[in-house]
Amino acid sequence: MSEVDVVVQGRCFVGGNLELCAIGISGGRIVRIAKTIDGDKVFDFGTKLVLPAAIDAHVHMREPGMTHKEDFASGSLAALHGGVTCVLDMPNTRPSTTTVSALKEKKGLASSRSLVDFGLFAGVQPGVDIAGLAIEAVGFKLYMGGTTGDLLAHPLGTVRREIEAVASTRKVLAVHAEDESLRNKGVEDSLDDHLKNRNNGCETSAVRKIIDAAAGCRLHICHVSAKETLPILSKAADVSSEVTPHHFLLDRTNRLGTYGKVNPPLRRREDRQAMFQALKEGAFDVIASDHAPHTADEKSEDFDYAPCGMPGVETMLPLLLHLVRDRHLALTSVVRRVCERPGEIYGLRKGRIEVGYDADLVVVDLMAGSEIKGDRLLTKCGWTAFEGMPAIFPRAVFVRGEQMMEGDSQVGESKGRDVVEGQPS
Ligand SMILES: [Zn+2]
């Protein structure tokens, strides 16, 4: 009898450092870390990096109701390809995840189809059962500006009671901060028009209002994009924040047309540069993709009609790893924002190579760079706004100790679990 079920060896990211060692796994958890461990099944990756797999704290898997764009099966396979083994799914599906029954229905779909672990957000609307939803949901999501699906933005005055109720659950309130009352509704023909309708002031106003209105909540500001938001956040010590790769790597000058139409919008180059600089200087708790796929057909509509959002769960970590290789970002800073902090904020036993944590791992060769190609991605929508950009895709991906991917190929069959049910009581 061996000490453990599975051993993964390599240059492992343990306690903030890379060291040649072995990770012992039993029952899907890390049970030992040592120079050598004897196991039933040993994966020796030599000097390749073994990192905690990424948690994508902001995705839209589109199921139920919009499964022509993506579903839990295709979206989770895309996640695995990009080194993401846990996704937190947003509530603007059809039906919206604003009732306990809708949340349970989505949980059933995800449990039977997702290849990665998942948590589900519940939507905040006037009159929803916050206490009931809190039992099932990983967190709450409030939209202050309009978006895809039927989950409408409500003025803060109409959800005060619900926000207070969220505060008493101690679950996170994640907010899409765009002030609907300041949004211009003019006809849009280009990314410039889209930006004019949702200018920087829409974001800063919404961020100020929600910080004020949600005192007492564990508040999290999603996808920060305007440079004027940065000083507001740096003064709000107990508010966590998130940035997406598209807001620090792309801007309106990338000429993406409808494919770059996303909310909050791709802004001016100076905003994009400010996001990247802030990230380098330690801002933002979380990098999340806001994976929001639409089909190429839908994106080919006239600008004004084309839906907002772009895919990203599959390209986030590969883009970040290339930035690490080129020394634009430190490995510790990336691991902090896509593994450790999302795990801490949402109370998951994930995101670290540490005894007691889920054995969610990615194996990476920093010398094996490639180019992002939409037709090689596994997301159902089949396109990417990051076409042609350099990236490093993981060599292997493990979910709770089981190898699920080898390069571009799925090699495991296990289904993902709800992270809320996985928590010890
Ligand atoms: Zn989103």
Side-chain angles (χ1 to χ4, degrees):
M1 270 281 286
S2 303
E3 306 174 62
V4 299
D5 305 338
V6 179
V7 175
V8 175
Q9 293 174 191
R11 276 176 73 213
C12 306
F13 189 88
V14 178
N17 297 304
L18 288 169
E19 50 182 279
L20 273 174
C21 65
I23 301 166
I25 300 160
S26 282
R29 295 259 171 78
I30 299 170
V31 293
R32 233 190 119 194
I33 298 166
K35 279 284 158 229
T36 57
I37 301 173
D38 182 24
D40 292 338
K41 203 167 177 185
V42 177
F43 295 89
D44 186 356
F45 292 105
T47 58
K48 292 196 175 59
L49 303 190
V50 180
L51 309 175
I55 297 164
D56 193 338
H58 189 153
V59 304
H60 302 262
M61 290 305 184
R62 304 301 195 199
E63 186 169 3
M66 289 177 271
T67 52
H68 65 288
K69 300 174 194 279
E70 194 79 285
D71 57 43
F72 278 108
S74 61
S76 64
L77 184 60
L80 279 177
H81 187 216
V84 171
T85 59
C86 180
V87 294
L88 306 187
D89 188 62
M90 289 299 169
N92 58 330
T93 38
R94 290 200 173 110
S96 307
T97 323
T98 49
T99 63
V100 174
S101 65
L103 200 47
K104 284 185 170 165
E105 184 204 350
K106 190 191 267 192
K107 201 168 275 201
L109 292 166
S111 302
S112 65
R113 291 159 67 72
S114 179
L115 299 165
V116 300
D117 288 347
F118 58 88
L120 305 178
F121 279 94
V124 175
Q125 284 195 314
V128 297
D129 172 13
I130 297 290
L133 291 165
I135 297 168
E136 305 286 341
V138 73
F140 287 91
K141 177 74 180 281
L142 174 68
Y143 287 92
M144 295 175 74
T147 184
T148 298
D150 305 325
L151 235 186
L152 301 176
H154 292 274
L156 280 180
T158 67
V159 286
R160 293 230 184 262
R161 272 214 334 253
E162 289 73 16
I163 292 174
E164 266 173 40
V166 170
S168 64
T169 68
R170 300 314 297 148
K171 295 260 173 173
V172 172
L173 180 67
V175 176
H176 179 126
E178 285 190 288
D179 191 333
E180 190 70 11
S181 69
L182 293 181
R183 184 153 78 83
N184 300 311
K185 310 276 180 358
V187 171
E188 295 180 5
D189 203 25
S190 67
L191 289 180
D192 282 352
D193 295 341
H194 188 59
L195 179 52
K196 268 182 215 144
N197 282 347
R198 294 168 176 268
N199 60 35
N200 291 30
C202 283
E203 182 173 291
T204 52
S205 165
V207 169
R208 281 202 187 92
K209 283 182 183 173
I210 193 64
I211 288 176
D212 205 37
C217 272
R218 296 182 58 214
L219 181 61
H220 178 75
I221 307 294
C222 296
H223 41 52
V224 174
S225 60
K227 70 174 188 171
E228 296 84 357
T229 304
L230 296 170
I232 305 173
L233 288 174
S234 62
K235 282 187 210 117
D238 49 357
V239 175
S240 60
S241 67
E242 166 189 301
V243 70
T244 70
H246 51 271
H247 286 119
F248 65 84
L249 293 175
L250 304 173
D251 57 55
R252 65 176 184 176
T253 67
N254 285 83
R255 301 185 185 285
L256 290 161
T258 53
Y259 290 89
K261 190 180 177 192
V262 62
N263 295 328
L266 300 182
R267 299 189 188 275
R268 300 160 301 174
R269 177 158 289 181
E270 62 199 89
D271 288 292
R272 197 256 299 158
Q273 288 169 336
M275 294 305 118
F276 204 172
Q277 190 56 34
L279 182 60
K280 286 186 188 183
E281 290 167 3
F284 309 115
D285 296 83
V286 172
I287 303 172
S289 73
D290 194 4
H291 178 71
H294 298 284
T295 66
D297 276 355
E298 290 166 332
K299 280 293 203 181
S300 305
E301 294 273 339
D302 286 345
F303 196 96
D304 211 32
Y305 293 99
C308 297
M310 59 172 68
V313 69
E314 195 167 0
T315 47
M316 174 172 74
L317 185 65
L319 286 164
L320 291 170
L321 289 171
H322 203 278
L323 292 169
V324 167
R325 188 183 94 166
D326 283 356
R327 301 184 189 280
H328 294 300
L329 290 174
L331 181 62
T332 50
S333 154
V334 168
V335 170
R336 185 94 188 119
R337 286 168 180 77
V338 297
C339 309
E340 296 168 359
R341 284 297 284 149
E344 288 165 12
I345 290 170
Y346 292 101
L348 316 179
R349 202 172 31 218
K350 292 178 176 293
R352 289 174 185 275
I353 298 178
E354 201 173 296
V355 170
Y357 278 68
D358 285 350
D360 293 354
L361 306 169
V362 291
V363 179
V364 171
D365 179 356
L366 279 186
M367 290 301 117
S370 62
E371 246 179 38
I372 292 179
K373 296 277 181 208
D375 58 8
R376 279 194 226 142
L377 296 179
L378 305 178
T379 169
K380 196 181 273 190
C381 76
W383 61 272
T384 171
F386 301 103
E387 185 74 29
M389 290 182 69
I392 296 172
F393 283 83
R395 286 300 183 89
V397 181
F398 291 76
V399 180
R400 282 178 278 105
E402 179 179 350
Q403 186 173 6
M404 292 294 287
M405 289 296 277
E406 179 143 359
D408 299 340
S409 307
Q410 184 188 340
V411 295
E413 292 292 337
S414 288
K415 291 296 187 287
R417 279 190 207 155
D418 178 16
V419 291
V420 174
E421 281 169 7
Q423 296 304 300
S425 52

